[in-house]
Amino acid sequence: MLSMPLDRGFLRRRRVVLFIPVIAVLLYFSPFWPSIRRFGDHARQKLPFAYQWKVQQDFVPTQSELDCINGRTPRSNSDSNYKIDPIPNHVHFIYGLSNPYNKPSAGTFDFLCYLAIRSAIVGMKADKVFLHYTYLTDPPSPDPNASPLSNPWIKHLKDDIELVHHTPEEMAALKSSPDATWQAAHVSDILRLKLLQEQGGIYMDMDAFGFRPFTNLLKSPRDIILGHEGGNRGGLCNAIMVARKSSAFIERWLKEYNGADLSKEWNYHSVVLPKKLELQHPEEVCTLPPNGFFWPTWTWDHIEFMHEKLSSEEARNWAAEIDRNGGSLYEDQLAYHAWSQMAWERHLSKLTPQLVRTRDTRFNLLVRNFLQDDVGLA
């Protein structure tokens, strides 16, 4: 019988291939994994041809964007003969569509969420603030009807907000089909559009912060106001929206979700699609420059810019600039989306009332005034 020669090179390659998943698992559970992941993200964003460079590129506001933010958008000929009611100064937040009792990664309503809602109360001076939720208890409970007042941050806010409970069945019905494997963020995308379509007002993500009243936007003749994401204006982001009820644009937007398989996408329907729809129906939308809602952006450099520690002189200068701008970093900035997906692990998860009060960063200077005097002092 002839014997086959032993291919030692093949055996070595096989051993390497077999060890790759083992090494990957060990790295994932290693205490160094967060640092390794951050290094990889940093390296990826710094590549010469990375998309992030387009996102953080400089921009100049267009005249129509300035007209939008300053309340000078002209009425169209078709609506010039009838009265346009202002958009209600009501702010809607959504949280807790997934239960952290079963899915700990969903998280609980925390200090950052508290600050976001306080920004609507203090900065935006909202007439009403609604918090739409399914699960808010802390510690988490399997019961969707458990009292949200078990959460200490809700206790601080309860006198200034209206809690609106949505059942798990109600949220499941928003999916395109019962078997659709949507993330909670996708369900939230539908819910926010429906709330604005039915009630009108302002929608804010739980990591979005309003710095002053949206007075000019609420009087816009356009039925929806959206902000550009990125200096390249690559999309119109749904993390902050202002809309009149029964908006034709939102109705068209909602129809695009019918039959959509959102399990294979992240931001097409929430960022890219509204930009496409706006290009098709520009007369229906008032668009803001990137610095209206979404600047600085989510890129590595911009996140560090917002959270790096400032010197005493830098802090004084930025505090004075914020004061001159009525509470914001830039003259035309009404709000800031803090991009928790990119900033949570590095910065946002570490925030405490004491750090916000004592550590001078651009972000902390912006939100410091939203803290109630008794928060974090016990």
Side-chain angles (χ1 to χ4, degrees):
M1 178 181 294
L2 295 175
S3 61
M4 297 295 292
L6 187 63
D7 187 343
R8 299 185 184 277
F10 169 78
L11 291 176
R12 282 195 297 271
R13 290 192 298 273
R14 187 179 179 186
R15 289 192 193 101
V16 170
V17 170
L18 291 174
F19 272 114
I20 287 175
V22 176
I23 293 170
V25 170
L26 291 175
L27 285 174
Y28 183 80
F29 290 101
S30 162
F32 302 108
W33 174 246
S35 298
I36 295 170
R37 188 170 58 186
R38 283 196 295 271
F39 175 79
D41 188 42
H42 178 264
R44 177 176 57 83
Q45 293 201 37
K46 292 293 189 176
L47 290 172
F49 302 106
Y51 179 69
Q52 285 79 353
W53 297 112
K54 294 181 179 180
V55 173
Q56 66 182 38
Q57 71 184 36
D58 291 337
F59 65 92
V60 176
T62 66
Q63 187 57 53
S64 64
E65 289 170 346
L66 292 175
D67 288 343
C68 180
I69 207 163
N70 293 311
R72 297 194 297 259
T73 300
R75 296 179 63 162
S76 65
N77 293 331
S78 62
D79 64 18
S80 59
N81 294 323
Y82 65 91
K83 179 184 176 183
I84 298 177
D85 292 327
I87 297 169
N89 188 22
H90 299 167
V91 181
H92 298 268
F93 292 92
I94 298 172
Y95 193 82
L97 302 189
S98 291
N99 191 350
Y101 184 85
N102 303 315
K103 186 180 179 182
S105 62
T108 57
F109 188 95
D110 57 16
F111 175 53
L112 188 72
C113 300
Y114 160 85
L115 281 176
I117 289 185
R118 284 289 297 171
S119 80
I121 298 166
V122 178
M124 298 168 69
K125 295 180 170 52
D127 294 332
K128 290 185 178 180
V129 177
F130 298 95
L131 175 55
H132 301 264
Y133 73 98
T134 300
Y135 305 96
L136 275 184
T137 58
D138 190 9
S141 167
D143 181 9
N145 297 310
S147 173
L149 295 180
S150 63
N151 187 302
W153 298 111
I154 297 296
K155 286 182 180 178
H156 283 294
L157 296 166
K158 64 182 176 63
D159 294 336
D160 298 308
I161 65 175
E162 295 187 31
L163 294 167
V164 184
H165 183 247
H166 298 266
T167 66
E169 294 75 20
E170 181 186 351
M171 294 300 92
L174 294 179
K175 297 181 179 181
S176 57
S177 71
D179 299 327
T181 55
W182 289 11
Q183 297 187 46
H186 293 136
V187 177
S188 173
D189 288 345
I190 299 282
L191 179 57
R192 69 188 69 178
L193 291 176
K194 285 185 173 291
L195 290 171
L196 293 180
Q197 185 70 335
E198 295 167 4
Q199 303 178 35
I202 303 165
Y203 170 79
M204 304 277 286
D205 266 2
M206 291 299 337
D207 58 349
F209 303 84
F211 303 128
R212 42 197 163 120
F214 287 12
T215 306
N216 289 332
L217 304 188
L218 299 177
K219 296 185 290 187
S220 174
R222 306 288 171 84
D223 284 344
I224 186 166
I225 299 94
L226 297 170
H228 277 110
E229 178 182 314
N232 63 338
R233 295 177 173 84
L236 291 168
C237 184
N238 73 347
I240 305 173
M241 299 183 287
V242 184
R244 196 170 275 109
K245 67 179 182 179
S246 304
S247 158
F249 187 88
I250 289 184
E251 182 180 0
R252 191 176 293 108
W253 192 351
L254 279 167
K255 286 180 179 177
E256 294 287 338
Y257 281 91
N258 293 338
D261 183 6
L262 301 185
S263 64
K264 298 179 180 178
E265 67 157 88
W266 177 246
N267 72 340
Y268 175 77
H269 278 77
S270 59
V271 178
V272 179
L273 175 63
K275 176 66 176 180
K276 290 185 175 181
L277 293 176
E278 183 267 334
L279 292 174
Q280 296 168 8
H281 305 276
E283 74 285 354
E284 295 179 354
V285 189
C286 196
T287 57
L288 299 177
N291 61 338
F293 290 160
F294 301 113
W295 195 271
T297 68
W298 47 264
T299 65
W300 185 281
D301 289 342
H302 280 199
I303 296 295
E304 292 306 303
F305 173 80
M306 288 300 293
H307 296 281
E308 66 185 358
K309 192 175 189 309
L310 303 174
S311 67
S312 297
E313 182 179 1
E314 288 173 326
R316 284 194 299 271
N317 291 340
W318 276 107
E321 184 69 15
I322 290 170
D323 187 59
R324 279 193 296 271
N325 293 329
S328 54
L329 287 179
Y330 312 111
E331 181 181 359
D332 295 327
Q333 184 183 38
L334 295 174
Y336 171 62
H337 183 224
W339 313 105
S340 60
Q341 269 207 307
M342 305 301 290
W344 178 255
E345 191 173 271
R346 278 186 279 159
H347 301 291
L348 296 176
S349 64
K350 300 177 175 65
L351 290 180
T352 64
Q354 182 182 6
L355 273 179
V356 169
R357 286 190 175 102
T358 60
R359 182 179 171 86
D360 288 331
T361 68
R362 292 174 183 86
F363 180 82
N364 289 353
L365 291 175
L366 284 168
V367 303
R368 189 171 288 168
N369 188 49
F370 303 147
L371 276 166
Q372 292 164 298
D373 291 340
D374 62 335
V375 166
L377 299 182

